[in-house]
C-alpha cells in the first residue's frame, strides 16, 4: 500500500512549506459540525470566512492552522453546486490536509517530481489554480495535489517539467483567484489519478470513507506535523 511506502521513506521528504508545522504557534482547526462556531456560521461570504479562520487561530494563540484529513466537514455548504445536490447525499469527507497561512507562502516539492498537470479550477469554492506532481518511489508511481494556489506562479508550469526536491514551484494564492477561499494550501496524496488531469476529488461521500482513504492516504505521512 502507498501509505506503507510513504512511511518507510518519511526521513527523505522535504517540507512542503517553509514553516515549522510542529511549532507552538500552529493549531488544529475543526471544521466539523462539532464546532458550533463553524456549524452556525454563514461561510458563503469569503471575507466573513477569513475573519472566522483568523478568530479560530487567535483563540489558540496560533498563526497557522492545520487539519482536515478524513474530516466530515460542514464548510462545503458554501458551494452546493460543487459538493452536493439537494436530491443526492452531499460530499463532505475531506481527503487532504489544509494548511491555513498567508497568501504568497512558497510551496516546495517534497521529492523529485515531474509536473503531471496544471489547471485553473476557477468555480466558486473549487481548487482555483491547481498543480499535480508525479513522483516515483521504489518503482511505485504516485501523485501529490496542491490546490488554492497563486495564478501567476502556477501559470509558469507546464506538464513534463522536472521539479527538484525542495524546489519552490508555486505559492499559496489569495482570494478570489484561489477558488475564493481564505488563503490556505490543500495538499493531497493520490495513489491513482484514474485518468484525471489537473483536478481530482478532494471531498468524498462519508459512507465511501474506506475506499477513498486507500486511494488518498494521509498527507501527514509527508507533512509530519504533530498536530495532525
Amino acid at each position: 500500500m502507498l501509505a506503507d511506502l510513504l512511511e518507510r521513506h518519511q526521513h527523505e521528504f522535504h517540507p512542503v512549506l517553509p514553516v515549522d508545522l510542529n511549532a507552538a504557534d500552529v493549531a488544529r482547526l475543526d471544521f466539523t459540525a462539532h464546532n458550533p462556531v463553524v456549524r452556525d456560521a454563514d461561510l458563503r461570504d469569503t471575507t466573513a470566512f477569513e475573519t472566522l479562520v483568523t478568530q479560530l487561530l487567535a483563540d489558540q494563540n496560533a498563526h497557522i492552522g492545520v487539519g482536515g484529513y478524513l474530516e466530515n466537514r460542514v464548510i462545503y455548504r458554501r458551494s452546493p453546486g460543487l459538493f452536493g445536490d439537494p436530491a443526492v447525499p452531499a460530499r463532505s469527507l475531506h481527503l487532504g490536509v489544509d494548511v491555513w497561512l498567508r497568501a504568497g507562502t512558497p510551496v516546495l516539492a517534497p521529492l523529485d517530481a515531474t509536473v503531471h498537470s496544471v489547471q485553473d479550477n476557477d468555480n466558486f469554492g473549487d481548487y482555483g489554480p491547481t498543480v499535480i506532481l508525479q513522483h516515483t518511489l521504489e518503482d511505485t508511481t504516485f501523485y501529490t495535489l496542491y490546490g488554492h494556489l497563486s495564478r501567476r506562479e502556477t501559470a509558469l508550469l507546464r506538464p513534463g517539467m522536472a521539479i527538484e526536491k525542495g524546489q519552490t514551484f508555486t505559492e499559496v494564492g489569495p482570494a478570489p483567484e484561489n477558488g475564493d477561499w481564505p488563503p490556505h494550501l490543500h495538499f493531497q496524496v493520490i495513489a491513482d489519478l484514474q485518468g484525471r488531469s489537473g483536478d481530482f476529488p478532494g471531498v468524498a461521500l462519508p459512507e465511501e470513507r474506506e475506499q477513498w482513504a486507500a486511494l488518498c492516504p494521509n498527507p501527514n505521512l509527508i507533512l509530519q506535523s504533530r498536530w495532525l
Side-chain angles (χ1 to χ4, degrees):
M1 290 180 61
L2 179 55
D4 297 328
L5 176 67
L6 297 178
E7 189 168 9
R8 286 197 300 273
H9 288 267
Q10 279 191 312
H11 62 285
E12 300 177 23
F13 300 134
H14 192 281
V16 171
L17 295 159
V19 296
D20 182 1
L21 294 181
N22 292 299
D25 67 341
V26 178
R28 185 163 187 161
L29 300 188
D30 178 359
F31 288 107
T32 72
H34 296 296
N35 185 343
V37 176
V38 174
R39 183 189 63 220
D40 300 333
D42 182 355
L43 302 179
R44 290 170 294 181
D45 183 314
T46 303
T47 300
F49 192 174
E50 186 162 358
T51 299
L52 174 63
V53 171
T54 300
Q55 186 59 53
L56 292 173
L57 291 172
D59 289 345
Q60 299 186 68
N61 297 312
H63 297 100
I64 296 172
V66 294
Y69 181 62
L70 298 185
E71 186 175 72
N72 191 5
R73 293 176 155 185
V74 297
I75 59 176
Y76 302 115
R77 295 175 306 192
R78 69 194 306 260
S79 311
L82 284 175
F83 301 109
D85 179 317
V88 298
R91 291 187 293 133
S92 57
L93 187 73
H94 192 244
L95 302 175
V97 163
D98 288 336
V99 183
W100 304 83
L101 74 180
R102 67 173 181 82
T105 301
V107 180
L108 300 81
L111 288 169
D112 290 343
T114 300
V115 176
H116 175 274
S117 47
V118 182
Q119 184 167 297
D120 193 349
N121 299 293
D122 61 354
N123 298 302
F124 175 77
D126 208 330
Y127 282 135
T130 308
V131 175
I132 298 177
L133 298 184
Q134 180 174 319
H135 312 275
T136 302
L137 279 176
E138 297 182 16
D139 297 323
T140 297
T141 298
F142 68 98
Y143 307 87
T144 51
L145 181 148
Y146 308 79
H148 312 301
L149 305 174
S150 160
R151 184 169 287 153
R152 182 187 64 183
E153 300 299 325
T154 303
L156 299 174
L157 300 174
R158 296 290 182 273
M161 288 179 60
I163 306 292
E164 295 182 357
K165 173 182 171 178
Q167 179 182 339
T168 296
F169 63 95
T170 187
E171 296 178 349
V172 175
E177 69 184 63
N178 68 352
D180 222 337
W181 291 86
H184 71 287
L185 174 69
H186 172 94
F187 177 62
Q188 187 169 336
V189 180
I190 304 165
D192 181 359
L193 286 173
Q194 302 176 326
R196 295 178 173 90
S197 177
D199 195 9
F200 193 85
V203 184
L205 293 172
E207 57 267 32
E208 297 176 349
R209 175 188 175 111
E210 185 174 344
Q211 68 190 64
W212 283 101
L215 184 61
C216 298
N218 192 343
N220 200 44
L221 291 166
I222 293 177
L223 296 175
Q224 299 176 54
S225 172
R226 67 187 175 106
W227 301 108
L228 295 171

